[in-house]
Structure formats: C-alpha cells, structure tokens
C-alpha cells in the first residue's frame, strides 16, 4: 500500500507539472493552485486558525512590515503571481543546472512563509542532486510550519537549512553563496514591505546570484478611469476593453544594475526619476502608478495580474498640474515607499 506521504508527494508533483506547463496560461490554472495549497495545508502542522485578526503575529521591522504567517499563507491565493513565480524560479534553476551540471543549484528563499509556497512544489520536481533550498523567514511559526510540511512530504534532503532570522541581518555563506535569491516581500508600488532593502543587503553579498524577481519597475501613466474598467466586460471574461492611457515615464526600477548603482548611498533616500507632467485634460485623465514585475525571462506580472501589480492613484501633496515637474524618490526605513515632491521651476 502506498503510504499517505508518498501519495501526497505524488499529487503535489502532478499538480506542479500542470502549473509548469506553459501550454496553459497562468490565469486558467486557479483550480490547480487551490489543489496545490490544499496539499501543503494538509501536510505538516497547521497554522493556528484561531487568530482574532489575520494580522496577528506581524512584525514591524526597521526596514518594513513582515506580514503575519496567516497573511503570508494567504498570498498563495494570488494565483497568477504564485504560478509566474514558480515558473520563473523553475527556469532560473534550469539555467543554473546548465551552468553547473555537477552540483545542485542553491536557492535562498527569503520570506518563505508557512507553506514555502514558491519552493516546496519545485522540490517535488527537482531531486536534491539538482536543487537544494535554504528556507528563511523572520517568523518562527512560519519556519516551524514550512519544516513540518517538508518533513511530512519526505523532502528534507531538498533543504540545506531552515533559518529563523531577519533577512536584513542575514549573512550568506561566503564559500557557498546562493545561485538564486528568491523573494516576494512586497506590495504594489514597493510599499510597506522590505523587498528593496533586503535585495540590496543580499545582492551585495551574492552579486552573481540570479535575482527573482529580476526586476520590479514602477511607471507613471495618465489614465482615463471611464475606459479603465468595465465590470460587465470583466464578468463576461471579454478582452475588448479599449483603455485610454498616456504613458508618461518610468519612475523607479529595482534590478541588479540599479541596486549596484546605489552601493555608496548611506541615507534612506534612493534616487528615482524627475518627471515633467505633459499637457493633458485634467477632467479626463488621472495620474496613476503601474507596477510591473519581471519574475524571470518571459515570466512577467503586468497590471491587474496580481494584487502586487494593481495600479495606484498617484498621491501627491497639493494638486498636480500639466507642466509641473515632480521629483520622485524611494524612501527606505520602517515604512518604505515611493515619495514625490513638486519642484518649483522659475520661468526664464
Ligand atoms: C508576502 S509574504 C510571502 C509568503 C510566500 N513567500 C509567498 O510568496 O507566498 C512575505 C514573507 O516574508 C517574511 N518577511 C518579511 N520581512 C522579513 C524579513 N525582514 N526577514 C525575513 N522574513 C521576512 C514574512 O514573515 C512573510 O512570511
């Protein structure tokens, strides 16, 4: 008789292979993500469900908010995000395998949360000789849960270490730096959570690692809200919305190059673009910030694909007028966020 751990692992492997099958667009695979999450939930010690508030157990760090284990577990349900991150990480590991076929690729998964959602499925399709993972989270409850899932599924050989630590003080092994650094510790517009600070801290120590996501960018666009949403069309699953947008400028980009360009900055202020607002009809358009996530290669999350890429209305002190020049910057610290100030440009 096949024991239950073996059959759970086999089910996980099967559903992971479906998630990785690029014949199927990510948006069509919600039931598969639900199935995957159910397998993870039913393996190992389960998070306490008696929390009064889903934010119970969150930690405010000096670099941003660490979501509670309950909220981190819920991130799996942002299913297109979950699939694109799993697909991108799979592709990065496959690339590392080609570069170093004689040893396993080492993946450092930062902020793994209680299900290690973006890694455990991949452990079911890569052997320990192909890929080994370090699972890291600031919350002990998350690491205890991830460890119990890994052990229940018989995947302990795929995990090099479990680390309960604030990633912004984590030191990678100098002799065996990670090949892939995987983390999704962000919200739309890179607000609140410490993705930027931790990316800087880790990439400095492992400059050759593949970074996942490879790039997060924020763009300013003028949007006509009356053409942006049509609930009837959305309900009918139709793709006929004729959006009316005027792209203005890229505002802030986090990738290997920009992180390296900030290496001598000690202050909490990282540079972003200075933008002159073009002439536009103020009654018709609204300035909005669009977040785009390049997970890896062709695995991309664009507007509305995920909670992480929902456009935000640009919040600005005072009013924004055509012709204004706005200077953006990214403020690090306990409440990281993109900020701006209007520059006074005197006419010649
Ligand atoms: C948005 S959740 C993502 C959970 C899971 N990785 C996923 O993608 O579904 C972010 C996770 O990062 C962890 N985290 C946040 N800040 C951290 C820090 N400074 N050091 C280590 N973990 C952190 C949180 O505890 C939480 O589990």
């Amino acid at each position: 008789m096949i024991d239950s751990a073996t059959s759970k692992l086999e089910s996980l492997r099967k559903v992971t292979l479906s998630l990785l099958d690029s014949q199927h667009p990510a948006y069509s695979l919600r039931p598969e993500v639900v199935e995957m999450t159910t397998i993870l939930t039913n393996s190992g010690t389960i998070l306490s469900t008696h929390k009064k508030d889903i934010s119970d157990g969150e930690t405010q760090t000096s670099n941003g908010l660490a979501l509670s284990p309950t909220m981190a577990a819920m991130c799996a349900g942002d299913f297109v995000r979950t699939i694109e991150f799993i697909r991108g990480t799979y592709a990065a590991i496959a690339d590392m395998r080609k570069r170093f076929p004689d040893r396993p690729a080492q993946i450092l998964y930062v902020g793994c949360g209680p299900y290690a959602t973006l890694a455990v499925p991949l452990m079911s399709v890569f052997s320990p000789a192909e890929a080994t993972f370090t699972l890291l989270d600031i919350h002990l409850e998350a690491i205890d849960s991830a460890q119990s899932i890994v052990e229940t599924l018989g995947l302990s050989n795929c995990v090099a270490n479990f680390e309960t630590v604030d990633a912004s003080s984590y030191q990678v092994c100098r002799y065996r730096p990670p090949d892939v650094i995987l983390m999704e510790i962000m919200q739309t517009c890179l607000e609140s959570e410490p993705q930027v600070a931790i990316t800087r801290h880790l990439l400095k120590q492992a400059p050759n690692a593949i970074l996942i996501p490879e790039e997060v960018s924020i763009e300013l666009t003028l949007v006509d809200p009356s053409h942006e949403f049509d609930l009837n069309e959305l309900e009918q699953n139709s793709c006929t919305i004729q959006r009316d947008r005027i792209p203005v400028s890229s505002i802030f980009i986090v990738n290997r190059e920009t992180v390296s360009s900030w290496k001598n900055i000690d202050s909490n202020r990282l540079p972003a673009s200075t933008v002159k607002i073009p002439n536009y009809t103020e009654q018709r358009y609204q300035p909005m910030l669009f977040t785009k996530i390049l997970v890896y290669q062709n695995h991309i999350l664009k507007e509305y694909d995920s909670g992480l890429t929902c456009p935000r209305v640009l919040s600005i002190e005072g009013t924004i007028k055509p012709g204004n020049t706005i200077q953006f910057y990214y403020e690090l610290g306990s409440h990281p966020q993109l900020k701006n100030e209007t520059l006074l440009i005197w006419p010649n």
Side-chain angles (χ1 to χ4, degrees):
M1 201 176 88
I2 306 175
D3 70 38
S4 95
T6 313
S7 81
K8 275 184 190 148
L9 181 58
E10 195 37 50
S11 308
L12 180 63
R13 197 178 121 75
K14 223 170 119 196
V15 79
T16 302
L17 291 173
S18 309
L19 296 178
L20 291 171
D21 182 352
S22 58
Q23 301 286 319
H24 301 287
Y27 65 78
S28 69
L29 294 172
R30 187 169 181 275
E32 284 75 3
V33 172
V34 172
E35 188 186 339
M36 177 199 84
T37 312
T38 307
I39 297 169
L40 298 179
T41 314
N42 292 340
S43 308
T45 335
I46 293 319
L47 283 175
S48 160
T49 50
H50 302 298
K51 301 248 157 66
K52 267 199 242 112
D53 184 331
I54 54 171
S55 64
D56 275 1
E58 70 185 18
T59 304
Q60 186 62 59
T61 79
S62 57
N63 289 299
L65 179 70
L67 292 190
S68 70
T70 308
M71 287 182 77
M74 289 166 66
C75 294
D78 189 354
F79 71 100
V80 173
R81 172 213 77 117
T82 299
I83 294 169
E84 293 299 357
F85 268 82
I86 289 176
R87 287 180 175 179
T89 308
Y90 179 90
I93 295 173
D95 281 350
M96 273 297 161
R97 292 284 305 138
K98 279 188 216 136
R99 237 189 274 177
F100 304 109
D102 300 332
R103 63 163 180 83
Q106 321 264 357
I107 300 94
L108 172 61
Y109 182 12
V110 182
C112 62
Y115 296 157
T117 309
L118 308 177
V120 175
L122 293 175
M123 295 177 200
S124 74
V125 296
F126 285 113
S127 74
E130 293 171 320
T132 56
F133 295 77
T134 292
L135 302 184
L136 183 155
D137 203 284
I138 196 169
H139 293 126
L140 178 61
E141 191 182 353
I143 288 297
D144 280 350
S145 163
Q147 182 159 7
S148 101
I149 290 170
V150 164
E151 285 169 2
T152 302
L153 292 171
L155 294 168
S156 299
N157 289 343
C158 300
V159 179
N161 289 301
F162 294 95
E163 304 274 5
T164 307
V165 63
D166 183 336
S168 42
S169 58
Y170 181 70
Q171 296 301 312
V172 308
C173 173
R174 277 168 55 199
Y175 308 105
R176 248 187 190 208
D179 298 307
V180 178
I181 299 173
L182 161 65
M183 56 186 164
E184 192 281 81
I185 314 183
M186 74 180 110
Q187 294 180 18
T188 190
C189 292
L190 290 164
E191 199 167 298
S192 303
E193 293 184 56
Q195 182 89 11
V196 179
I198 295 176
T199 302
R200 284 181 90 196
H201 175 69
L202 294 175
L203 212 50
K204 209 182 294 170
Q205 301 176 64
N208 298 321
I210 293 178
L211 187 61
I212 294 205
E214 270 191 292
E215 180 172 290
V216 182
S217 57
I218 303 174
E219 282 164 26
L220 177 64
T221 298
L222 299 170
V223 170
D224 174 352
S226 69
H227 286 261
E228 193 64 12
F229 314 101
D230 182 334
L231 290 180
N232 290 333
E233 283 181 279
L234 284 179
E235 266 167 27
Q236 290 154 22
N237 222 356
S238 134
C239 299
T240 56
I241 302 171
Q242 296 287 318
R243 293 194 164 118
D244 179 8
R245 298 176 182 165
I246 306 172
V248 178
S249 175
S250 166
I251 301 295
F252 185 63
I253 298 180
V254 182
N255 62 21
R256 178 184 303 286
E257 288 73 35
T258 55
V259 169
S260 158
S261 75
W262 302 327
K263 65 176 179 292
N264 296 323
I265 298 179
D266 292 328
S267 73
N268 263 359
R269 188 167 166 150
L270 298 176
S273 297
T274 300
V275 175
K276 186 166 182 214
I277 303 298
N279 279 328
Y280 70 96
T281 317
E282 290 170 74
Q283 294 75 14
R284 176 158 159 197
Y285 293 101
Q286 188 163 45
M288 295 190 81
L289 294 174
F290 281 55
T291 306
K292 183 170 158 191
I293 301 174
L294 169 60
V295 179
Y296 187 65
Q297 294 176 345
N298 57 333
H299 304 287
I300 295 171
L301 294 168
K302 356 179 232 33
E303 70 269 21
Y304 306 116
D305 283 344
S306 153
L308 306 180
T309 58
C310 267
R312 270 275 170 88
V313 173
L314 173 67
S315 129
I316 194 153
E317 268 183 42
T319 48
I320 185 170
K321 290 278 170 205
N324 280 167
T325 299
I326 301 178
Q327 176 157 22
F328 289 88
Y329 58 97
Y330 188 82
E331 191 169 88
L332 297 161
S334 53
H335 297 91
Q337 58 187 300
L338 192 63
K339 289 189 148 185
N340 60 67
E341 53 204 17
T342 306
L343 295 183
L344 290 174
I345 309 263
W346 300 107
N348 291 324

